Amino acid sequence: MHFEYQVDGGNFSNAGVASSQFKKILKQLNVDPGLIKRIVVALYEAEVNIVAHAYRGIIKIDVNIDKVRIALIDEGPGIPDISKAMEAGFSTASPKVREMGFGAGMGLQNIRNNVDQLDIESVVGKGTKVEFEVNLG
Amino acid sequence: MDSRHFHHALKISEQLCMGCSHCMSVCPTEAIRIRGGKAILYENRCVDCGECFKACPVDAIYIDQDDFNRIHDFKYRIALVPAVFIGQFPESVSRDQIYHALISCGFTHIAEVELGTEVLLRHMHEYAEKHTDKKPLISSFCPAILRLIQVKFPSLVGNIMLLKPPLDITALYCRKKLTEEGFNPAEVGVFYITPCAAKIAAIKSPVGEDYSIITGVINMDFIYNKVKKRLASDKETGSMQIPNPDLPGSAMRWTLTNGEAELMQGRSLAIDEIHNVIEFLEKVENEEITDIDFLELRACDQSCAGGVLNSANRFLVAERLLNKDFNEGGGQKDGIHAYSEYLDRRISIQEIKPRSMMKLDEDMAEAMKKMDRATQIMQLLPLTDCGACGAPNCQAFANDIVQGEANIRQCIFIQKSREHSGELTSEDSLGILKGIWGNDKF
C-alpha cells in the first residue's frame, strides 16, 4: 500500500500531522505496538526536520507485509556534511527553532536508533532525501 | 483474554432508548451505533467513561449496580466511601453526620477509600525511582484511562504503573484488619460506593488482576438519596462512634485533579477529561512530548468530582474537598501503618496487555485488503459525517462495511443517488432507513 503526505517548511503548528495520520493506519493494520512506536518516532523526527530546515517536502510511504519503507524528500538547503549531522547534539537549527523546542541535534540519531536501514542523500542548495525501513517480521 | 468477556457497567435500556444518537456522537471511542431505532454498543471498544450516560436525554443509559439489599447477606458490612461523597454535601453537614447516616442505612463499618493513598504514594515514588527508563510513567488510578490506553494507545501500556489503586489497597487492609480482630472473613462484605461506571467495570473485570476483593458496588447517586433522606429526617442516627479520625488533606484531595501529580517528584502533569487525555496521549505516543516523568490522567472533567454518579456540581464537590480544613498533619495513619508489610507484598498488579480496537483484522494482509476497500468506499461517501447511516462518521461507517457490520446502502446520499438512477425503489430506501432508525420515526 502506498501513502503520501505533503509537509510545509516552517509550519511548526502542523509538524507531526503526517506522523499521527500514518500512526492510525499502522494501528488499523494491526502492526505490533512496539514497531508502531519505532516507526512513528522516526517518522516524526524526519517530518520535523523538513518543517525546521526545508521549504517543502513530501513523505512517501510503502507498506508491505514484511516491512515499511519511508522516503522523505524535501526541497531545502541540503546537508553539507551528513556524517557531522548524524553526530549527537550537532544542530544547525536557528535559535528561533530551538526556542520552540525543536533542533536539539538528536533527530537523525533518533531516526537511526529506531530503524533497520537508513540512507540519507543530500545536495547542498537543492534538498535532502531521507529513506528508512523498518522490518515488520 | 477474549475482549468479548469484558464487563461493562454501562447498559442501554432498549425500552427507554429512542435512538436519538446523542450518545453515538459523543462516544470518544466510536463504540455506539444505531440499529432498529436503538443504540447498540460495540463492547470491546467501550471504556466505560460515561460520556454517553451524560449525553442521554431520556436516561436510557444506566449503570448496572449490585442490589443494595445484598449487603444484608453479610453479618458485617463495610462501606468503602470515596472522599467525593463528602463533597456531595454542603459544609454545614459534617463528615460525622454523613457517616452516621450511612451506618443507619445498614452498614456496620465505614472506611474511607483514600486511606490507602499513603501506602500507595510510597510505592509510586519507589516505582518511579526504579523505572527511570519508562517515561512518562502513567498512573493506574483511573480505570477508564487504563482501558482507553489498552484499546487506543496500545504502545503505551508499558508506561502504566503496575500498582493497585487506593480502593483495592484500602479494601485489603479492611479485610485483613477485621480478620485479625476475630471477624469471620466469610461474614464480611466490602461494598464500594462508586462515583463512576468505570470503577464498577474495573471491579467486575479487573485490569491486571485476577479477581477483585470488593464484594459489591453501590452507585453513589443511589446512596446519596438514602443519606440525604436520613439527614433531612433530622433524627439522631444511633450512638455508634465513628472510629476514623480525619484523613490528611492530601489523601482527601487524591481523587481530584492534581491529587497525585502534586505529590510526585520530577516533572509531573495532571490531565483531566477524556478528550484532553486522548489529545495528549497522541503526542506522547509520537514522542512529540518527552521529558515528562509522571502523568496523572483522569477520564472525567474535575476527575472523580465529575464522575457521572455525582449528584452535586463537580466544581462545588472539588471546592469542599480543597477548602475544608481537612487535617493537614496527622490523620489516621496508625491503623493502616501496622499493615504496611502485608500491603507492600500485595500492591503490584500484573502486566497490562493491549487489546487494540483499531485493527481491521488480526492478520495484517487481510487488514491491508480491508483498508484498501475502506479507502475506496470513502471515495463514494459524502464525508459529511451526518450519522444518518447509524455510524458516528463516514470513516467509521466505511470500516463497519468492510467488517460486514453495515451496508453501503445505509448512506442516505448513496440512497438518494440510487433512487434517482432507478437502482433503488423509494420503498426499499424507506425500508433501509427504518432498519436503522426504527419504524416509529416514519
Side-chain angles (χ1 to χ4, degrees):
Chain A
M1 298 179 89
H2 184 77
F3 303 91
E4 288 196 6
Y5 304 94
Q6 304 286 337
V7 184
D8 292 340
N11 190 354
F12 284 94
S13 49
N14 264 347
V17 170
S19 306
S20 286
Q21 283 175 0
F22 186 60
K23 178 175 72 181
K24 208 173 153 196
I25 286 169
L26 292 171
K27 286 182 183 178
Q28 289 180 321
L29 294 178
N30 200 27
V31 174
D32 174 80
L35 290 172
I36 293 182
K37 185 148 197 185
R38 282 174 50 204
I39 296 165
V40 172
V41 167
L43 177 57
Y44 175 72
E45 289 288 1
E47 185 184 350
V48 168
N49 276 347
I50 296 180
V51 176
H53 298 286
Y55 315 129
R56 68 190 65 81
I58 185 164
I59 303 174
K60 296 182 176 182
I61 303 177
D62 285 292
V63 182
N64 292 309
I65 198 84
D66 56 342
K67 69 177 156 208
V68 171
R69 183 167 181 81
I70 300 180
L72 300 100
I73 304 145
D74 73 47
E75 293 168 38
I79 306 170
D81 185 344
I82 292 173
S83 55
K84 190 143 187 93
M86 294 291 290
E87 284 171 20
F90 178 82
S91 175
T92 59
S94 67
K96 194 182 130 210
V97 167
R98 285 166 188 255
E99 266 172 34
M100 293 184 215
F102 300 99
M106 301 305 291
L108 291 178
Q109 279 273 320
N110 209 6
I111 295 172
R112 188 167 58 188
N113 293 342
N114 280 292
V115 302
D116 294 309
Q117 202 191 313
L118 172 65
D119 292 305
I120 303 176
E121 290 168 28
S122 192
V123 179
V124 173
K126 230 177 146 195
T128 301
K129 182 176 178 184
V130 175
E131 262 186 294
F132 58 82
E133 283 181 9
V134 174
N135 298 328
L136 300 180
Chain B
M1 192 186 299
D2 192 333
S3 56
R4 273 172 305 178
H5 295 149
F6 273 80
H7 177 92
H8 288 288
L10 288 160
K11 310 270 178 199
I12 301 165
S13 159
E14 224 188 290
Q15 210 184 342
L16 293 176
C17 177
M18 56 174 197
C20 69
S21 79
H22 292 191
C23 53
M24 180 176 84
S25 315
V26 298
C27 176
T29 58
E30 297 177 352
I32 296 174
R33 299 292 182 273
I34 309 293
R35 294 284 182 274
K38 307 288 174 192
I40 59 157
L41 190 67
Y42 285 180
E43 300 222 343
N44 56 355
R45 288 171 168 248
C46 173
V47 298
D48 285 288
C49 69
E51 292 293 313
C52 53
F53 181 91
K54 284 188 245 173
C56 182
V58 294
D59 296 333
I61 294 178
Y62 62 96
I63 295 176
D64 213 12
Q65 66 175 336
D66 289 311
D67 177 10
F68 182 73
N69 293 319
R70 245 192 81 204
I71 70 167
H72 294 288
D73 294 352
F74 296 85
K75 192 168 172 190
Y76 306 103
R77 306 172 287 276
I78 307 177
L80 289 179
V81 187
V84 288
F85 188 65
I86 305 294
Q88 303 302 303
F89 301 90
E91 297 268 346
S92 55
V93 182
S94 75
R95 186 176 157 275
D96 273 12
Q97 278 177 295
I98 296 166
Y99 289 169
H100 274 121
L102 270 172
I103 293 286
S104 73
C105 289
F107 293 101
T108 59
H109 296 75
I110 304 275
E112 286 151 314
V113 174
E114 290 74 18
L115 200 54
T117 56
E118 214 181 299
V119 173
L120 175 59
L121 184 61
R122 180 164 48 79
H123 281 274
M124 286 166 75
H125 285 156
E126 283 171 16
Y127 197 99
E129 278 166 30
K130 248 187 245 166
H131 296 89
T132 47
D133 54 322
K134 283 183 193 166
K135 273 191 189 181
L137 284 168
I138 298 173
S139 165
S140 61
F141 175 82
C142 176
I145 295 297
L146 293 195
R147 289 182 169 207
L148 176 75
I149 292 174
Q150 282 184 296
V151 302
K152 212 173 158 82
F153 301 98
S155 71
L156 294 175
V157 289
N159 294 58
I160 298 168
M161 285 180 147
L162 298 176
L163 297 172
K164 281 193 168 73
L167 171 64
D168 298 51
I169 298 166
T170 305
L172 271 174
Y173 158 68
C174 290
R175 281 192 176 279
K176 179 72 176 167
K177 183 164 179 273
L178 289 189
T179 307
E180 284 193 357
E181 284 173 6
F183 292 83
N184 176 358
E187 292 179 334
V188 175
V190 179
F191 298 89
Y192 172 51
I193 297 171
T194 182
C196 73
K199 298 253 175 49
I200 302 181
I203 287 165
K204 303 293 178 187
S205 63
V207 171
E209 288 182 87
D210 289 331
Y211 68 97
S212 175
I213 41 154
I214 317 281
T215 315
V217 191
I218 316 288
N219 290 355
M220 198 167 80
D221 58 347
F222 173 86
I223 209 84
Y224 170 79
N225 287 338
K226 269 183 157 328
V227 166
K228 189 92 178 159
K229 209 167 160 188
R230 283 200 159 61
L231 288 170
S233 70
D234 202 26
K235 268 187 283 181
E236 193 43 57
T237 45
S239 57
M240 180 175 254
Q241 197 61 41
I242 304 291
N244 318 345
D246 284 352
L247 281 178
S250 60
M252 292 302 280
R253 290 191 296 273
W254 188 275
T255 62
L256 300 180
T257 304
N258 247 319
E260 296 170 273
E262 69 172 9
L263 302 174
M264 291 300 286
Q265 271 127 25
R267 189 174 169 204
S268 303
L269 219 59
I271 297 165
D272 60 10
E273 206 280 324
I274 192 159
H275 296 90
N276 295 335
V277 171
I278 290 171
E279 182 192 333
F280 199 84
L281 289 181
E282 287 285 352
K283 292 185 183 293
V284 171
E285 203 179 33
N286 294 3
E287 295 194 3
E288 285 179 54
I289 296 173
T290 50
D291 295 329
I292 292 175
D293 298 297
F294 175 78
L295 280 179
E296 169 200 307
L297 306 173
R298 311 276 176 84
C300 295
D301 180 31
Q302 301 297 314
S303 295
C304 295
V308 294
L309 295 170
N310 280 259
S311 301
N313 177 277
R314 60 189 180 278
F315 299 103
L316 300 182
V317 174
E319 183 199 28
R320 171 149 197 197
L321 298 185
L322 288 169
N323 291 353
K324 185 98 202 298
D325 46 338
F326 286 116
N327 190 347
E328 279 295 343
Q332 57 189 83
K333 285 179 177 172
D334 298 342
I336 199 161
H337 272 204
Y339 294 87
S340 291
E341 225 177 281
Y342 172 80
L343 297 170
D344 288 349
R345 285 199 304 272
R346 287 161 180 80
I347 204 149
S348 295
I349 55 172
Q350 296 156 13
E351 186 195 343
I352 296 172
K353 298 253 173 23
R355 48 183 190 92
S356 173
M357 62 163 197
M358 312 269 290
K359 62 183 173 221
L360 290 170
D361 203 283
E362 211 55 60
D363 175 61
M364 189 178 155
E366 201 51 45
M368 286 169 79
K369 274 188 219 159
K370 286 183 177 172
M371 184 177 286
D372 265 338
R373 273 196 64 207
T375 309
Q376 286 164 18
I377 293 166
M378 282 296 276
Q379 285 164 1
L380 303 173
L381 298 180
L383 309 185
T384 51
D385 295 341
C386 67
C389 60
N393 54 61
C394 294
Q395 182 69 63
F397 178 54
N399 290 353
D400 282 356
I401 296 171
V402 299
Q403 299 292 22
E405 306 275 357
N407 187 304
I408 192 155
R409 298 194 308 173
Q410 286 171 235
C411 172
I412 198 153
F413 291 80
I414 303 259
Q415 275 176 46
K416 285 288 153 203
S417 306
R418 291 192 180 177
E419 258 184 84
H420 182 72
S421 68
E423 289 169 77
L424 199 69
T425 65
S426 66
E427 283 75 27
D428 286 344
S429 171
L430 188 64
I432 293 164
L433 281 180
K434 282 181 177 171
I436 304 165
W437 296 98
N439 292 329
D440 53 357
K441 289 197 185 65
F442 297 89

